[in-house]
Amino acid sequence: MKTSKWKNMLLFAAIAGACYGCSSSSHKSETEPPSSPEVPETPVADTGFAKGADISWVTELESKGHKFYNTKGEERECTALMKELGLNAIRLRVWVDPKAHDNWCNTADMVAKAQRAAALDMDLMVDFHYSDWWADPGQQHKPAAWKGLGLTDLKKAIADHTREVLQALKAKGITPKWVQVGNEIRPGMLWDEDASLSGASWDIKANEVKGSGWTSTEVKYPANWANLGSFITTGYNAVKEVFPDAVVIVHLDNGYDQGLYTWFFDELKKNGGKWDMIGMSIYPYWTKLEHPDYTAERTLTDCIKTINLVSDRYNCDVMIVETGMECADAQGNLAATATLQHGKALLKQLLTAARSETGERCKGVFYWEPECLPGQYPLGAFTDNGRPTAIMEAFSE
């Protein structure tokens, strides 16, 4: 893959992973690993609260020759470096059949990365996208092999895929602590033009579909909450068949939006959906772009309010499964020192509030793809030469 294509793909994927998708103004609203990773000298404390990162891009970055270093300039394998920086958990996404995208984040690639985390005694979160590529608020497309399946066979495909991925982990002696059934599923998942097969949470218009180029305001993917509840429960039950003690997460974006969360989970409850924990994404940077009246601090404060609201309303724990702070300027260069220090302060604010202001209902905070280069994704937390910025210091202070 050429460098330019690589950078474009990462930038596209970065935006895909953030909350920029369908409008949030309504309630639609918003191979084998190294045999012995190097263990850091200082053990990670505070193991009851997850301090984690999604580093699913790491093997792809390594394939391009990218290396990672600690603040002393000593080379490290990325997973081991995360532990050295104070993290105790890793999140990894998995796609159904990403052969059109060089098979990154397929089952084998995910398991290889999970082995690294397991070797370091780090907890693992598995993030099922139930798609061949990115699934987020702007795109929840069915895997190619699942298109055309009737409802019974579609649910069987969900269950089979979930079990097969988790059995692959089990075969390596790895037990995930948390499993997400779907990724940022505010608009539902497994969209279909046939209303009887669709899993959309509202009527998705053609012009709301990310990257489609469609301009029509006609409904492309009709809502079907009965299906969505059933799809989530199918995934939930399949997880429990393989790992009965795994905590199953249902994940939405826009953690600042309390109305979104009560609307979605009230509907999910009405439609028989099962979950153990609510997962949130919270990105002050993207929120500010969509809502200019929001400050970064307000975004985080409102997220804590949402955590307290939903943990009480549904009597369940919550996890911030994605966050990220500004690390690059508009030209893709490393951000100014003041910006990085502000990012550190914001992450520290979030970590502190999640632990001290939620009655222990928030169980952790995960940073999304901190290891990325500034020119590839603006909300990473590393330099171009693979060193952690000041943002990462928030995890160890």
Side-chain angles (χ1 to χ4, degrees):
M1 187 180 294
K2 294 181 180 179
T3 302
S4 59
K5 182 179 178 184
W6 164 244
K7 288 187 176 180
N8 288 339
M9 182 278 292
L10 280 179
L11 182 58
F12 168 80
I15 296 170
C19 64
Y20 248 173
C22 302
S23 171
S24 64
S25 60
S26 68
H27 288 149
K28 319 173 188 182
S29 146
E30 212 188 73
T31 330
E32 287 297 307
S35 58
S36 55
E38 186 171 352
V39 180
E41 296 175 4
T42 305
V44 175
D46 195 18
T47 54
F49 182 88
K51 294 185 290 184
D54 188 319
I55 57 170
S56 299
W57 266 327
V58 65
T59 46
E60 189 170 1
L61 285 164
E62 290 170 347
S63 77
K64 308 301 175 185
H66 193 61
K67 298 182 184 299
F68 300 93
Y69 304 88
N70 64 15
T71 54
K72 298 176 183 178
E74 299 165 334
E75 187 175 344
R76 292 286 188 266
E77 187 277 321
C78 185
T79 320
L81 179 55
M82 293 298 150
K83 185 167 184 177
E84 188 171 339
L85 292 169
L87 280 67
N88 55 24
I90 296 296
R91 177 179 184 253
L92 299 171
R93 61 180 166 268
V94 61
W95 293 317
V96 177
D97 185 14
K99 61 178 177 290
H101 306 284
D102 300 325
N103 284 317
W104 300 114
C105 297
N106 66 6
T107 301
D109 183 46
M110 187 276 292
V111 171
K113 289 173 287 197
Q115 287 179 269
R116 302 183 187 190
L120 293 163
D121 294 320
M122 300 178 80
D123 289 329
L124 174 66
M125 181 185 297
V126 178
D127 176 15
F128 281 94
H129 281 226
Y130 296 125
S131 181
D132 289 337
W133 197 225
W134 298 100
D136 59 65
Q139 52 194 346
Q140 292 285 339
H141 301 299
K142 284 184 178 178
W146 298 6
K147 292 178 180 178
L149 295 179
L151 196 57
T152 298
D153 287 339
L154 179 56
K155 287 190 283 188
K156 182 178 184 299
I158 295 168
D160 287 349
H161 170 64
T162 305
R163 284 191 297 259
E164 287 166 7
V165 170
L166 297 180
Q167 288 288 3
L169 287 172
K170 196 170 192 177
K172 298 293 185 181
I174 301 169
T175 300
K177 189 169 183 177
W178 313 275
V179 179
Q180 280 187 219
V181 289
N183 186 74
E184 292 190 330
I185 59 171
R186 167 165 50 103
M189 62 182 182
L190 297 166
W191 293 341
D192 199 289
E193 294 180 35
D194 184 336
S196 70
L197 298 175
S198 182
S201 63
W202 74 82
D203 288 340
I204 306 296
K205 298 175 184 177
N207 65 348
E208 293 179 312
V209 180
K210 183 190 295 181
S212 66
W214 296 328
T215 58
S216 171
T217 58
E218 295 296 315
V219 172
K220 179 71 173 178
Y221 302 116
N224 190 323
W225 261 104
N227 280 353
L228 179 55
S230 181
F231 294 161
I232 290 170
T233 296
T234 298
Y236 180 101
N237 291 339
V239 172
K240 297 295 186 176
E241 286 180 38
V242 183
F243 292 113
D245 295 329
V247 176
V248 180
I249 296 173
V250 171
H251 170 210
L252 309 184
D253 63 325
N254 292 354
Y256 64 86
D257 188 344
Q258 290 134 56
L260 161 65
Y261 279 75
T262 55
W263 163 75
F264 188 96
F265 284 96
D266 281 357
E267 290 296 322
L268 183 54
K269 188 175 181 180
K270 287 178 194 174
N271 286 278
K274 295 181 182 179
W275 71 90
D276 299 326
M277 177 181 279
I278 291 173
M280 294 181 181
S281 293
I282 189 70
Y283 290 100
Y285 181 90
W286 300 124
T287 303
K288 176 72 173 176
L289 289 179
E290 206 166 325
H291 303 286
D293 57 319
Y294 265 71
T295 63
E297 289 76 11
R298 177 186 172 187
T299 301
L300 299 184
T301 298
D302 282 0
C303 180
I304 297 301
K305 290 178 181 177
T306 306
I307 291 170
N308 288 323
L309 172 64
V310 299
S311 62
D312 180 64
R313 188 182 185 96
Y314 306 110
N315 190 28
C316 68
D317 291 332
V318 179
M319 185 83 80
I320 297 169
V321 300
E322 291 188 24
T323 193
M325 307 303 164
E326 187 175 359
C327 187
D329 63 20
Q331 289 72 47
N333 300 310
L334 186 67
T337 299
T339 300
L340 298 175
Q341 288 292 338
H342 187 222
K344 172 186 172 181
L346 290 172
L347 181 56
K348 189 171 181 178
Q349 174 188 334
L350 183 59
L351 286 161
T352 300
R355 282 179 286 189
S356 65
E357 299 176 18
T358 64
E360 299 185 350
R361 294 313 296 256
C362 184
K363 297 302 184 182
V365 174
F366 283 73
Y367 203 102
W368 196 75
E369 298 287 4
E371 81 283 10
C372 287
L373 283 67
Q376 296 168 328
Y377 174 52
L379 305 186
F382 272 56
T383 66
D384 279 310
N385 58 2
R387 287 166 171 77
T389 67
I391 294 171
M392 296 301 291
E393 295 171 7
F395 283 110
S396 58
E397 292 186 355

